[in-house]
Amino acid sequence: MSSYLKRGLMTAAVVTVVYVIGASLVNRGLCSYYGFQTDRHVRYAAFVGCMVQTPAGWVPRSELRVVQ
């Protein structure tokens, strides 16, 4: 492989990792802010998203209307 291709692949990998970490931090912050606004207990699950505690257990925020 040429050195330009290696540099390009490494740069793409680093940009991807930085984007994934940044998006995760933003999503965690938004989930925490939702809990603050609604005065509910929330937590962030990596592949599910924002989880809200209900009497039935932890439910994804997107499915909260179905449970209520």
Side-chain angles (χ1 to χ4, degrees), residues 22-23 30 44 55-57 59 65:
L30 290 173
Y44 183 77
V59 178
R65 291 183 182 210

Side-chain angles (χ1 to χ4, degrees), residues 9-51:
L9 290 174
M10 288 296 292
T11 302
V14 168
V15 167
T16 302
V17 168
V18 168
Y19 174 77
V20 168
I21 291 172
S24 176
L25 290 174
V26 167
N27 288 335
R28 285 177 190 263
L30 290 173
C31 183
S32 177
Y33 186 63
Y34 172 77
F36 172 74
Q37 281 183 321
T38 59
D39 198 30
R40 294 183 174 178
H41 293 280
V42 295
R43 67 178 176 187
Y44 183 77
F47 298 105
V48 179
C50 193
M51 304 284 289

